Each structure stands twice: as C-alpha cells, then as structure tokens.
Amino acid sequence: GDSVTQMEGPVTLSEEAFLTINCTYTATGYPSLFWYVQYPGEGLQLLLKATKADDKGSNKGFEATYRKETTSFHLEKGSVQVSDSAVYFCALSDIPQGAQKLVFGQGTRLTINP
Amino acid sequence: DAGITQSPRHKVTETGTPVTLRCHQTENHRYMYWYRQDPGHGLRLIHYSYGVKDTDKGEVSDGYSVSRSKTEDFLLTLESATSSQTSVYFCANSEMSNQPQHFGDGTRLSIL
C-alpha cells in the first residue's frame, strides 16, 4: 500500500539555521502531497501542498517541491525561528488531485533554540 | 481551524466500556474524517464520511464505528474500549474531496 517515510527526529537547530526535513513516498497512483504542522496541544494545520510533478508549494517561508523521479517532497526553510518549533508531518492523498484518505509519515519534531 | 469542535477534549475510562467521541463542524462541509495519532505512526485514518449516512472504512477501522445523521456532526464510537485504543483522536473536514483537510484540536482518550 501507499506509505510516507520522514527523517527521524527530533531535530534541534539554532535560530536562523537552514532547515531540511526529508520526506519520501511510495504510491501506486499519482498522489497529491502535503506538509502539515502541529503546534503543542493543537490539531494539524496545512502548511503547503503540491498536486503534480515539479509543483512547488510554499507558505510562511517554507518550501517543498514535488519530485516524481525521486518520489520525494522535502521541506525546506532558509532561516528558522523559535516560533517554528513544532511537529511536521508529510502526507499523501491516494486520489489524484484529491485529499481523501490521507496517509501520513510518522512526524518529525523540530526544536529551534534562540 | 475551520470551525471544528471535538468533545470531550480529555477522557479516562475503563476497558470494556462504550465510548463516543463527537466532532461538530460549523460549516456544511461534505467530507469528515476520524484519525488516531500514536507515537511512531503519525496519523492513521479510522473512518470517513462523504455525506449524511454515507461512511467508509479507513486503515484502522477495527473496533470502531461511526455515524453521521446530520451534516454538522460525525460521531466515533468504541463499542467496548480496549487499552490498545488509548490514543489522541483527531477529527477533520474538507469541503470537497480535492480540498485540504482541516483538523480539530483532538481528544486525548486513556483506557485503563
């Protein structure tokens, strides 16, 4: 079945450092890809998405590019802030252009130190 | 979030008891979902609904049932709770099948 693999955390960085969180996927079809963020005590919030190959999703300084050839959707940010500390989830939807039946990675906990 | 309220937010109960979790949305979104979140597993889909009285199973549906008698409410029931169902449960909704899902703040359920 479909699956998502994220780099294991926790990840600890200093403020203004460059961030990469790796995400690779396995899917039988042509999935849509998502990054969600979860702040302490809250539900998940959509951070960005991409629905076809070479699409770049971006939001709040975060970016991720849908790479079909490497089945990857790595999350990047050029300069992280303390407020970016959260758990990040990569996810796919197994319905092309759809959002039902999200399959999530295990999550990566990010801590940014001042 | 997109107007989702989950209740209760916390619950502790004993093995073998029935438990019902409620998800209420203020929008008229067609799609609603129940997930559970466990360490090392991310979120896993339990059941989802694509309309009133229309539901389908997700990845981890065993031991769970759902009902949707009104557009705004989606109930998750554990008929006879087990310790393996201790988890954090999240409800989500989406307006269309190809739109991103929006999540509630979760229900922390502990089964002793």
Side-chain angles (χ1 to χ4, degrees):
Chain A
D2 297 344
S3 65
V4 174
T5 302
Q6 293 180 230
M7 64 184 285
E8 290 205 19
V11 174
T12 302
L13 297 171
S14 298
E15 205 165 21
E16 299 183 3
F18 184 86
L19 168 71
T20 300
I21 300 178
N22 290 338
C23 171
T24 58
Y25 67 90
T26 301
T28 53
Y30 198 147
S32 297
L33 301 174
F34 305 84
W35 276 101
Y36 280 84
V37 58
Q38 184 180 30
Y39 298 103
E42 299 183 8
L44 278 69
Q45 302 175 21
L46 178 67
L47 182 58
L48 52 85
K49 66 174 183 176
T51 58
K52 61 183 186 295
D54 300 324
D55 266 3
K56 178 185 283 188
S58 61
N59 186 25
K60 299 182 181 180
F62 291 90
E63 293 183 340
T65 301
Y66 190 145
R67 300 290 187 197
K68 196 170 191 298
E69 64 276 14
T70 56
T71 62
S72 64
F73 193 54
H74 305 321
L75 182 69
E76 296 182 337
K77 186 175 185 182
S79 177
V80 293
Q81 306 300 312
V82 173
S83 57
D84 294 327
S85 298
V87 181
Y88 292 81
F89 293 92
C90 185
L92 67 80
S93 167
D94 67 356
I95 298 176
Q97 306 298 316
Q100 289 184 14
K101 295 187 179 180
L102 287 172
V103 176
F104 285 88
Q106 72 271 33
T108 302
R109 183 175 298 277
L110 174 67
T111 301
I112 307 299
N113 293 322
Chain B
D1 62 38
I4 293 177
T5 303
Q6 292 186 231
S7 59
R9 292 294 315 279
H10 303 272
K11 186 173 182 66
V12 180
T13 190
E14 294 183 346
T15 300
T17 60
V19 177
T20 295
L21 307 182
R22 180 179 182 238
C23 177
H24 177 80
Q25 63 168 347
T26 55
E27 307 92 351
N28 276 332
H29 288 349
R30 179 179 176 187
Y31 295 88
M32 298 185 77
Y33 312 83
W34 275 108
Y35 294 87
R36 59 178 290 173
Q37 181 179 25
D38 304 290
H41 290 280
L43 277 75
R44 292 178 290 175
L45 182 65
I46 305 171
H47 282 280
Y48 70 100
S49 169
Y50 47 97
V52 174
K53 299 190 189 306
D54 292 324
T55 65
D56 203 352
K57 296 180 179 180
E59 178 188 355
V60 290
S61 59
D62 287 349
Y64 301 94
S65 63
V66 290
S67 65
R68 192 163 177 207
S69 58
K70 299 185 291 185
T71 300
E72 58 266 35
D73 289 327
F74 191 33
L75 304 181
L76 177 71
T77 298
L78 292 65
E79 300 288 350
S80 179
T82 68
S83 58
S84 64
Q85 294 175 311
T86 292
S87 187
V88 181
Y89 291 85
F90 286 97
C91 177
N93 69 359
S94 65
E95 186 171 8
M96 304 290 289
S97 65
N98 61 350
Q99 294 299 311
Q101 296 176 23
H102 299 278
F103 288 78
D105 288 339
T107 294
R108 185 173 295 276
L109 177 62
S110 297
I111 300 164
L112 307 178

